[in-house]
Amino acid sequence: MTRITHSRRFAKGRADCYRSVVRPYEPSGNHTPLSRMIDPQCGAEVERSAALHAYKLLDAPREQDFDDIARMASRICATPMAVVNLVDTHRQFFLAEVGLGVRETPLETSFCGHAILEEDLLVIPDARQDPRFDGNPLVHGTAGLQFYAGAVLKTPDGQPIGTMCVLDTKPRHLSELQIDMLRFLARQAMTQMELRRSVATRDRLLAEARAAEARRRDLAHEMAHRMKNLLSMVQAVATQTLRQATSMEEGRLAISHRLTALARAQDILLQADFKAADVCEVVAATIAPHQTSDRRIRLNGPGTLLTSQQALGLSLAVHELATNAAKYGALSNDDGTVDVAWTDEDNAFVFDWTERGGPAVVAPDRRGFGSKLIERIVASYFNGEGRIDFAPEGIRFRLVGKSDRLPVTA
């Protein structure tokens, strides 16, 4: 009972779609067909069209199953023509046809445009006697169609989307058995359509599952690769720090601070799903523990995405520079300043650290691990060069390489 009520309500709604645009028939000696154009914005038609398109069978190639249904309808009803038909908003498309030789026709002159307004079945024994087809070229033209019977194709929730129909060029009637078989074949056509939709849904879900599994494997592989690189970096930092520390406590503190810098960079990468990190965020997070209340560390540069390795390496370099500036350089007094600037043009990444106003700089007799880390290790992540200049007025560091990423866009 629910389905019947829904179908009747829909049929009325779709009839309203037609009436809003129908061209009234005016009897005359030169008849023209009634317009069957549908208002595609009409609510009932939008709903019906969506149900039809969900099957993804419009313009589909011919299939044996639907061809067999059409041939069976033609044989049972003893008509030269039979069609498994999908009624779209402006046309009707034939999933299968016997005796017509075409795959689609306009909806304006169609019989099936009338049939889907019915609850179940439309039978027109002689279209020449039906005023709905006065002047219709399919009836009064060379085609000479006179008989039509169509059983409505309905979705499981009662949406009419097409017909199982038979046609003839002469008037006729169908027996009760033939009508029952026409209804049965309409149901079989819908069963085939539902089967294809179910198979398509299954295939889509399987494809999505395979894609998800592939992404999981890729992620696991990527995470293992990143963890290996990170652990290698941690091992190198710890080994070199302890090798050059004058005491175990000094080594412990140095390792702790360096690993903290790495952890900050890791947090930024985690927020970006480990794909890339913005240099602005990396530098800001690394200098945060050393920034003075009067903000004597000044940052200037465009948003640029770095690879995960570049982000980790640059955070270590900035940490080493900031720590040294706080102990011995421009941040060790109340007047010194540090300018941190970078550019990224034509894939050339240039990073500058410039100290001013601190104690006079004296170049060390030998380079410690921090200097090697800044100049060699970090530069290698950018496929470039790093150089520390121990100028008397303040330490300068320049890194020239490639970011391997496009600039961040707003």
Side-chain angles (χ1 to χ4, degrees), residues 11-12 17 44 47 58 66 91 98 105 119 122 124 165 198 209 228 231 243 286 289 320 338 369-370 382 388 401:
K12 180 182 183 303
C17 290
E47 183 180 353
L58 289 170
F66 292 115
R91 61 168 177 154
V98 172
T105 60
E119 169 63 25
L122 175 64
I124 303 173
C165 62
S198 297
K228 181 179 179 180
L231 290 175
R243 181 177 297 170
T286 307
E320 293 297 321
V338 178
F369 172 64
F382 289 83
I388 299 176

Side-chain angles (χ1 to χ4, degrees), residues 236-248 250-252 254-255 258 320 366-373 376:
V237 168
T239 300
Q240 293 299 325
T241 300
L242 290 175
R243 181 177 297 170
Q244 298 194 10
T246 58
S247 68
M248 184 60 68
E250 178 188 345
R252 186 188 68 80
I255 290 174
R258 285 166 176 162
E320 293 297 321
R366 67 182 185 89
R367 299 294 183 92
F369 172 64
S371 297
K372 295 177 182 178
L373 174 67
R376 302 175 188 174

Side-chain angles (χ1 to χ4, degrees), residues 110-327:
S110 72
F111 288 81
C112 295
H114 295 279
I116 61 170
L117 296 177
E118 301 297 324
E119 169 63 25
D120 177 47
L121 185 78
L122 175 64
V123 178
I124 303 173
D126 187 351
R128 294 174 303 177
Q129 307 302 317
D130 192 319
R132 290 174 295 182
F133 299 96
D134 282 348
N136 190 310
L138 295 180
V139 176
H140 300 283
T142 56
L145 298 179
Q146 296 182 34
F147 170 76
Y148 172 89
V152 180
L153 302 180
K154 291 184 179 180
T155 65
D157 62 352
Q159 290 279 13
I161 61 172
T163 61
M164 172 70 258
C165 62
V166 292
L167 304 96
D168 203 342
T169 55
K170 59 184 179 182
R172 64 184 306 129
H173 293 275
L174 296 182
S175 68
E176 287 298 321
L177 176 60
Q178 289 172 320
I179 289 175
D180 286 343
M181 288 303 298
L182 195 62
R183 290 190 177 107
F184 169 76
L185 292 174
R187 292 193 298 271
Q188 290 303 303
M190 280 305 309
T191 298
Q192 291 294 330
M193 292 171 64
E194 284 292 327
L195 176 62
R196 281 154 180 75
R197 182 160 70 168
S198 297
V199 170
T201 300
R202 181 206 63 188
D203 292 344
R204 176 178 57 79
L205 294 175
L206 287 175
E208 290 175 356
R210 286 193 293 267
E213 176 61 18
R215 288 194 298 271
R216 186 198 65 78
R217 289 195 303 268
D218 290 344
L219 179 60
H221 178 76
E222 180 67 15
M223 289 302 296
H225 176 69
R226 294 186 186 281
M227 287 300 298
K228 181 179 179 180
N229 288 341
L230 180 59
L231 290 175
S232 296
M233 184 180 292
V234 169
Q235 183 182 31
V237 168
T239 300
Q240 293 299 325
T241 300
L242 290 175
R243 181 177 297 170
Q244 298 194 10
T246 58
S247 68
M248 184 60 68
E249 181 62 17
E250 178 188 345
R252 186 188 68 80
L253 288 174
I255 290 174
S256 177
H257 292 157
R258 285 166 176 162
L259 294 186
T260 299
L262 282 176
R264 293 193 187 97
Q266 282 289 106
D267 289 340
I268 296 172
L269 287 169
L270 181 61
Q271 295 173 9
D273 199 23
F274 287 93
K275 294 179 181 177
D278 188 349
V279 62
C280 300
E281 295 182 16
V282 172
V283 175
T286 307
I287 62 104
H290 306 281
Q291 183 64 277
T292 61
S293 59
D294 53 353
R295 307 192 70 79
R296 288 187 285 134
I297 305 179
R298 299 173 296 210
L299 309 184
N300 182 30
T304 299
L305 293 178
L306 305 178
T307 66
S308 58
Q309 284 295 96
Q310 289 171 342
L312 293 174
L314 187 61
S315 68
L316 278 177
V318 172
H319 167 74
E320 293 297 321
L321 291 165
T323 300
N324 186 75
K327 289 182 178 180

